[in-house]
Amino acid sequence: MSTLAKSSLLQISGKLAGIFFGLGTFYILLHFFGTEGYGVFTTALTYVTFFSIVVDFGLTITTAQMIAEKGADEKRILSNLFALRVVSALIFMTLAPLSAWFLPGNEKIFPLICIGSATYFFGAISQMFIGVFQKRLELVTPVLAEMGSRALALVGVLFVGLTTRSLAHATIAFAVGALLQVLIMLVATHRRISLRFSWDFSLWKEIISRSWPIGLSIFFNLLYLKGDVLFLWAMGKTDVEIGHYGAAYKVVDILTMVPVTFMGLMLPLLTLAWTSKNKTLFTKRMQQTIDLFALIAIPFIFGAWALGVPLMTAVKPDLVLAGQLLWVLVPAAVIVFFGSLFGHTVVAIQAQRPMTWNYCIVAILGIIGYLVIVPPFGEWGAAWVTLACESAIAILAVVVVRKHWKEKVSLGICLKAILASAIMFAVLKGIQIPLASFSPLVSLALSLVVGALLYVGAIALLKGPTLRDAKRLFSADSQQG
């Protein structure tokens, strides 16, 4: 097995473990604090998220890109990025609680925003070091750091739920977990590279000139991807309504971890193939990733249509609305798979600046959509605007990439994934009545098993890719072209 295959398997395994811990924490929060409490928690952390994106300003992606280039002075680049990140994080994560003080009706969310700002400060520092390990395909440390952070948060939230039942104390558990993660990442990075604060402002200028289009793009992306929660709150929707929307969005967050994680691995490889002018290898990687994402993501759309409500009501019986919202939000998450692929490719081919205007236009249209549609339609309006914006930005990213990369792309695997998913959906809908005699949890578990077996079987019957084909993405000769 190649180094890339081992690294990918390790990171996927780590993400699965992280998802397990995240789902456990999600369940505990809903169980002890209810849908209303979860709504308050979601609003507060969403507010802080906007400031954390300004802190990042595209530096995480820029780090991976710059140190992956031929002849890069890794120590100099990382030492300056480290100083820049700490300074920007201190400034903007302090602004989050300061600005929240002036928000109307902030009594519930202000303490959580203060604590959440510390959580995101630690997260911003640790994220910057991931590029070091991605470049070397040494992912044990970041995987263990993230798992440790999530596990500690889960244990802390459970302890709070059993004792004080304070949302503020629960939020502190996340901050402690983030602190553990940054300490592990900092020590491990320092062992590989002798880090220090560097103040080479000429390099800072270069870093900012390369990262600002990415940073603005991510910020505009966030306006419509996460702005829905803040618009719901600002327009007077109840904490219970926001709790339903936040619970459904948790599923979206889990799904979108997959493409972001995978593209974090692929970005240095795509960058190297493009800057080396190896168009054959670049095209091979793009086609294989399109096929892989189609096979993984498309069945989730049909699965959500069939099992969205049973899934959410298994978590908490009153989450029927959250389950219904998945009918719209999961397709948006699936589009993020392909938007992430082409969005990262925009960075790999250094076409960020024209893409920034696309993000800006979509963000403006998204804000208008929220202002017009959320007041009369509430959570459903927010969900449809999110889907429309994700679709628009994915299409625009494809257009930008195709201006530079014009090789032919096959959609055969995508079509097979759609057909196999449709077969799965039809059978799942048909067996829901017979399965109704079982408990909701047992019925859901049986449906998931049947659905997975049906999809894999249908792909095989349609002569889709085999496991051997999937391994080619990570094979040694794929790395060499």
Side-chain angles (χ1 to χ4, degrees):
M1 185 182 287
S2 70
T3 304
L4 178 58
K6 291 177 182 177
S7 298
S8 300
L9 182 61
L10 176 63
Q11 188 139 350
I12 290 169
S13 300
K15 284 298 178 183
L16 288 174
I19 288 171
F20 171 78
F21 290 127
L23 286 174
T25 307
F26 168 63
Y27 177 81
I28 293 168
L29 284 169
L30 279 170
H31 179 75
F32 286 110
F33 300 101
T35 307
E36 181 178 359
Y38 189 75
V40 174
F41 179 81
T42 299
T43 302
L45 291 198
T46 300
Y47 184 83
V48 178
T49 298
F50 279 88
F51 290 85
S52 73
I53 293 299
V54 177
V55 169
D56 183 87
F57 206 62
L59 293 180
T60 299
I61 294 177
T62 301
T63 301
Q65 184 188 36
M66 291 182 71
I67 65 176
E69 294 172 352
K70 285 186 175 181
D73 185 343
E74 194 173 29
K75 179 180 176 180
R76 175 172 174 258
I77 292 170
L78 282 170
S79 294
N80 278 277
L81 278 164
F82 184 38
L84 179 58
R85 172 57 64 87
V86 170
V87 170
S88 62
L90 282 173
I91 292 172
F92 287 102
M93 298 321 297
T94 301
L95 284 176
L98 287 177
S99 60
W101 176 258
F102 299 99
L103 293 176
N106 68 357
E107 296 83 5
K108 292 181 181 179
I109 64 172
F110 181 71
L112 308 189
I113 288 173
C114 292
I115 302 164
S117 297
T119 304
Y120 279 83
F121 172 81
F122 298 138
I125 304 301
S126 62
Q127 283 295 312
M128 194 203 75
F129 298 125
I130 289 178
V132 175
F133 301 93
Q134 288 175 338
K135 176 184 176 181
R136 292 166 172 76
L137 297 178
E138 298 173 355
L139 298 172
V140 173
T141 297
V143 167
L144 290 178
E146 182 176 355
M147 288 175 59
S149 172
R150 289 178 177 272
L152 188 57
L154 184 149
V155 172
V157 171
L158 178 60
F159 177 76
V160 170
L162 293 172
T163 54
T164 64
R165 295 205 178 187
S166 162
L167 269 177
H169 294 165
T171 310
I172 290 174
F174 287 91
V176 173
L179 176 60
L180 172 65
Q181 183 177 8
V182 72
L183 290 175
I184 293 172
M185 292 293 285
L186 182 59
V187 170
T189 301
H190 193 69
R191 286 176 178 173
R192 289 162 175 81
I193 303 167
S194 183
L195 278 178
R196 59 186 178 83
F197 283 113
S198 293
W199 312 91
D200 184 344
F201 294 114
S202 63
L203 182 57
W204 281 36
K205 183 178 179 181
E206 180 186 349
I207 291 168
I208 293 172
S209 69
R210 293 180 64 165
S211 67
W212 76 260
I214 305 172
L216 281 180
S217 298
I218 294 173
F219 179 75
F220 290 136
N221 194 326
L222 191 71
L223 282 178
Y224 57 80
L225 190 61
K226 291 288 189 180
D228 43 12
V229 172
L230 293 184
F231 276 100
L232 287 169
W233 176 75
M235 294 180 182
K237 301 302 176 181
T238 66
D239 291 329
V240 172
E241 290 174 302
I242 296 174
H244 278 284
Y245 194 86
Y249 221 97
K250 183 65 178 179
V251 177
V252 173
D253 287 338
I254 290 170
L255 288 179
T256 53
M257 283 182 188
V258 177
V260 172
T261 299
F262 188 83
M263 290 311 301
L265 286 169
M266 291 299 294
L267 178 59
L269 303 175
L270 287 171
T271 299
L272 183 59
W274 185 264
T275 55
S276 301
K277 302 187 184 303
N278 191 340
K279 293 291 184 69
T280 301
L281 177 58
F282 184 86
T283 298
K284 181 188 289 187
R285 290 203 180 283
M286 289 294 292
Q287 181 66 66
Q288 290 172 327
T289 306
I290 290 169
D291 292 345
L292 181 66
F293 280 4
L295 288 170
I296 293 173
I298 290 173
F300 281 109
I301 296 177
F302 292 84
W305 290 344
L307 301 175
V309 173
L311 174 66
M312 297 309 297
T313 53
V315 176
K316 198 167 183 286
D318 68 347
L319 291 179
V320 175
L321 175 58
Q324 293 170 338
L325 288 169
L326 290 180
W327 301 342
V328 180
L329 288 176
V330 168
V334 169
I335 290 170
V336 170
F337 274 74
F338 299 98
S340 179
L341 166 58
F342 284 92
H344 279 76
T345 305
V346 165
V347 177
I349 65 176
Q350 298 187 22
Q352 300 98 305
R353 296 195 180 192
M355 191 62 199
T356 301
W357 293 107
N358 292 335
Y359 282 112
C360 178
I361 292 168
V362 174
I364 292 170
L365 293 176
I367 291 171
I368 294 171
Y370 288 131
L371 290 172
V372 173
I373 297 175
V374 167
F377 298 106
E379 309 87 79
W380 285 104
W384 279 108
V385 172
T386 298
L387 175 59
C389 289
E390 286 299 339
S391 301
I393 208 62
I395 292 169
L396 291 169
V398 171
V399 170
V400 170
V401 170
R402 295 300 282 172
K403 285 182 178 179
H404 299 268
W405 173 65
K406 302 181 185 298
E407 276 69 16
K408 184 179 179 181
V409 175
S410 171
L411 298 179
I413 298 300
C414 296
L415 295 175
K416 290 179 181 180
I418 291 171
L419 182 55
S421 299
I423 294 170
M424 176 191 72
F425 170 79
V427 175
L428 284 177
K429 292 299 288 184
I431 65 174
Q432 290 309 296
I433 294 177
L435 289 178
S437 58
F438 296 96
S439 69
L441 194 58
V442 171
S443 175
L444 174 64
L446 290 173
S447 295
L448 291 173
V449 171
V450 170
L453 293 175
L454 275 169
Y455 178 70
V456 172
I459 286 291
L461 287 173
L462 293 168
K463 297 183 178 179
T466 63
L467 183 60
R468 180 179 298 177
D469 296 323
K471 288 180 179 178
R472 288 178 186 169
L473 180 59
F474 309 108
S475 64
D477 63 26
S478 176
Q479 293 178 57
Q480 297 166 2

